[in-house]
Amino acid sequence: MEPERPGEKLGILAGGGSLPRIVAAAARAAGWAPLVVRIGDGVTDDWTGYEGEAFAWGRSGDAIAYLKRHKVRRVIFCGTVTRRPDFRSLLPSFRTLVRLPAAIRMVRGGDDHLLRGVSRYLERDGFAMLAVQEIVPELLAPSGLLSNRALREDESRAMTIAATAARRLGELDIGQAVVASAERVIAVEGVEGTREMLARVGDLRRRGRVTPSERCVLVKSVKPQQDSRFDLPSIGEATIAEAAAAGITAIGVSAGRSLILGLEDVVAASDRADIALVGLADEQEEGRP
Amino acid sequence: MEPERPGEKLGILAGGGSLPRIVAAAARAAGWAPLVVRIGDGVTDDWTGYEGEAFAWGRSGDAIAYLKRHKVRRVIFCGTVTRRPDFRSLLPSFRTLVRLPAAIRMVRGGDDHLLRGVSRYLERDGFAMLAVQEIVPELLAPSGLLSNRALREDESRAMTIAATAARRLGELDIGQAVVASAERVIAVEGVEGTREMLARVGDLRRRGRVTPSERCVLVKSVKPQQDSRFDLPSIGEATIAEAAAAGITAIGVSAGRSLILGLEDVVAASDRADIALVGLADEQEEGRP
């Protein structure tokens, strides 16, 4: 999506990871003027070269005022939120205080619920929410085999097990990632995130709880009820490295509904690690052949 | 259940943890002569005072011959199996070798599947499988509030979320334990087991990924399709200590279909840690009020 007029402000509500930078650079290239807002305690990312400001959770109400003062109409969420606000421990500013009841309602429920809540809240305030893929459509995962190596037969069975479990978990707004072998589910992502779940799998393998002959695959799947405007599952080069370190030999992601941060580099990293990378079509995710 | 004649042999296929000792002692008190068979590599538990033998995975076929030689007709599985056999790395004995195809079919699928497989296998060989609760019925978790302190309102909501997720996961033969708050699922047990999942929750809390105000509960739930003759979920004093260390404030277990190893001590430990302990009736586990 292009700005209505060159130099239109785009509010980027930036979490952690590499995605916010990719979005900001693509937005700028498309003629937007990115305004990068970071909300959280102890946010230290370097955003030199971009206009913007960081707000502690206790001042998140001020962030809205900041966006309005800069005449921002369109905003986009991207990046990871690893640390949630503790509404008992913060000292809210006045603007945050008047919005506190809505904010508390928001953090009830899973992350998906949190984001839907924040989104509704911003829309009531007159902002339009954009999806990452409206700014950087080339990030969407293609369908089918992406790596050089195709799935082995046991990896294909493992993929079905992991995708079925991930889908089922997504219905409950639990994490988006599952590791399975052709025999069983090995690990399920909770709030710890994919990176730590993969570290756990590596650890289980080193301790012999998963044997060398049991090939494992990772599936990152979109939740069935997912609002595709935010928090699509994403993988990047780091994910491939973490998966390889955990002994994962194949990775499946939701085709068209998940993000691959730098397709060429991610595919090259998969090939180097001899990992089979596939974009799963909907019917594959539901365990249908 | 009592032996048909005093001194009848009872084959105890003993995994790790305290349960096998409890079963062996109760069986002896009821007039059985326990014969303790341990299968696994590097099994070092001390079973002084009990007749029995340890077999490496590669000699598991010999264990059957051993039980037959001792005229064992009834066997019971108990304890945890943390290390699965790697059928590529073992050097099977002749007796194991002839049974290898069946053994390989068994380790396909989840733990529940594994145990069902082993059980069918033993039954074909003429053994009768007993359940732990047939020897020690007092281990079955009672229904309702077991601790001094009742559930707080947010713990009660968290219990519903955790029980619903645990039930859903059980349908897929994934772990039996889930940690949730009133807001979301925090952690899901994979092959790592409850102890390590609880350590993860403690870690998430220390790092601020779960805030101090977000009270968390643990649910250990029976799988809907569970064969109650083996692998019922169980908790003991160690579970309470591990839960307390993770900041868990309430624990729910399937009433009548899970084991509490030493009810009096477990309840006392819960009270000391100010943990609310409840036996969940079926309808509670399904999220119905």
Side-chain angles (χ1 to χ4, degrees), chain A residues 16-278:
Chain A
S18 60
L19 182 57
R21 293 214 151 258
I22 294 173
V23 170
R28 183 175 275 172
W32 298 89
L35 188 70
V36 182
V37 167
R38 288 140 285 160
I39 298 183
D41 303 313
V43 173
T44 55
D45 297 353
D46 178 18
W47 278 92
T48 309
Y50 285 94
E51 197 182 356
E53 202 164 320
F55 296 87
W57 281 113
R59 288 185 59 225
S60 50
D62 299 3
I64 308 273
Y66 175 83
L67 289 169
K68 287 191 169 168
R69 202 161 61 241
H70 282 81
K71 310 257 183 294
V72 169
R73 285 179 47 235
R74 294 194 163 83
V75 295
I76 188 166
F77 271 108
C78 49
T80 51
V81 179
T82 52
R83 189 181 270 268
R84 294 180 141 226
D86 180 356
F87 285 102
R88 290 201 320 202
S89 71
L90 57 79
L91 277 174
S93 70
F94 176 73
R95 280 205 183 80
T96 305
L97 204 59
V98 297
R99 290 159 192 273
L100 206 55
I104 288 173
R105 274 196 302 278
M106 268 180 245
V107 294
R108 291 247 170 100
D111 283 334
D112 195 46
H113 185 93
L114 171 67
L115 289 167
R116 268 197 303 270
V118 174
S119 156
R120 266 200 302 272
Y121 180 69
L122 287 169
E123 283 172 341
R124 266 205 303 275
D125 261 26
F127 294 101
M129 300 288 306
L130 296 188
V132 165
Q133 58 271 29
E134 289 180 271
I135 300 293
V136 211
E138 60 271 29
L139 292 182
L140 286 174
S143 182
L145 181 65
L146 306 175
S147 57
N148 277 332
R149 183 171 72 71
L151 292 179
R152 301 182 184 100
E153 198 260 333
D154 59 343
E155 289 167 341
S156 178
R157 277 188 291 133
M159 202 62 83
T160 302
I161 292 177
T164 306
R167 172 62 59 117
R168 201 70 81 90
L169 291 162
E171 288 166 8
L172 298 168
D173 197 12
I174 307 177
Q176 304 175 309
V178 171
V179 170
S181 70
E183 294 159 9
R184 55 182 179 157
V185 170
I186 303 293
V188 175
E189 180 184 329
V191 306
E192 76 277 13
T194 305
R195 188 162 49 85
E196 292 181 21
M197 183 194 61
L198 287 172
R200 183 158 85 243
V201 171
D203 184 53
L204 288 168
R205 206 178 265 289
R206 277 186 293 278
R207 290 186 290 145
R209 299 278 295 272
V210 179
T211 58
S213 61
E214 193 174 358
R215 265 197 281 266
C216 293
V217 310
L218 165 70
V219 165
K220 287 203 75 161
S221 170
V222 74
K223 297 170 186 167
Q225 77 285 18
Q226 180 106 27
D227 183 331
S228 66
R229 286 176 307 167
F230 35 69
D231 197 34
L232 288 186
S234 68
I235 64 166
E237 272 190 272
T239 317
I240 305 298
E242 290 152 11
I248 300 289
T249 60
I251 299 176
V253 295
S254 303
R257 297 188 69 201
S258 67
L259 307 177
I260 298 185
L261 310 184
L263 182 60
E264 213 169 304
D265 292 341
V266 168
V267 167
S270 300
D271 286 339
R272 277 196 306 275
D274 194 33
I275 285 176
L277 179 64
V278 293

Side-chain angles (χ1 to χ4, degrees), chain B residues 50-104:
Chain B
Y50 286 94
E51 197 183 355
E53 202 164 321
F55 297 87
W57 280 114
R59 288 186 57 226
S60 50
D62 298 4
I64 308 272
Y66 175 82
L67 289 169
K68 288 190 169 166
R69 201 161 60 241
H70 282 82
K71 310 258 183 291
V72 169
R73 285 182 44 235
R74 294 193 162 85
V75 295
I76 188 166
F77 271 109
C78 48
T80 52
V81 179
T82 53
R83 190 180 271 268
R84 294 179 144 228
D86 180 357
F87 285 102
R88 291 203 317 205
S89 70
L90 55 79
L91 277 174
S93 70
F94 176 73
R95 280 206 183 78
T96 305
L97 203 58
V98 297
R99 291 159 191 271
L100 206 56
I104 288 172

Side-chain angles (χ1 to χ4, degrees), chain B residues 69-187:
Chain B
R69 201 161 60 241
H70 282 82
K71 310 258 183 291
V72 169
R73 285 182 44 235
R74 294 193 162 85
V75 295
I76 188 166
F77 271 109
C78 48
T80 52
V81 179
T82 53
R83 190 180 271 268
R84 294 179 144 228
D86 180 357
F87 285 102
R88 291 203 317 205
S89 70
L90 55 79
L91 277 174
S93 70
F94 176 73
R95 280 206 183 78
T96 305
L97 203 58
V98 297
R99 291 159 191 271
L100 206 56
I104 288 172
R105 273 197 302 277
M106 270 182 242
V107 295
R108 291 249 168 102
D111 283 335
D112 194 45
H113 184 93
L114 172 66
L115 289 166
R116 267 198 304 270
V118 174
S119 157
R120 265 199 303 270
Y121 181 67
L122 288 170
E123 283 172 341
R124 265 203 306 271
D125 261 24
F127 294 100
M129 300 286 307
L130 295 189
V132 165
Q133 58 271 29
E134 290 180 89
I135 301 292
V136 212
E138 60 270 31
L139 291 182
L140 286 174
S143 182
L145 181 65
L146 305 175
S147 57
N148 278 331
R149 183 171 72 70
L151 291 179
R152 301 182 184 102
E153 197 261 333
D154 58 341
E155 289 168 341
S156 178
R157 277 187 290 133
M159 202 62 85
T160 302
I161 291 177
T164 306
R167 172 63 60 116
R168 199 71 80 89
L169 291 162
E171 288 167 7
L172 298 169
D173 198 13
I174 308 176
Q176 303 174 309
V178 171
V179 169
S181 70
E183 295 158 9
R184 54 184 178 154
V185 170
I186 302 294

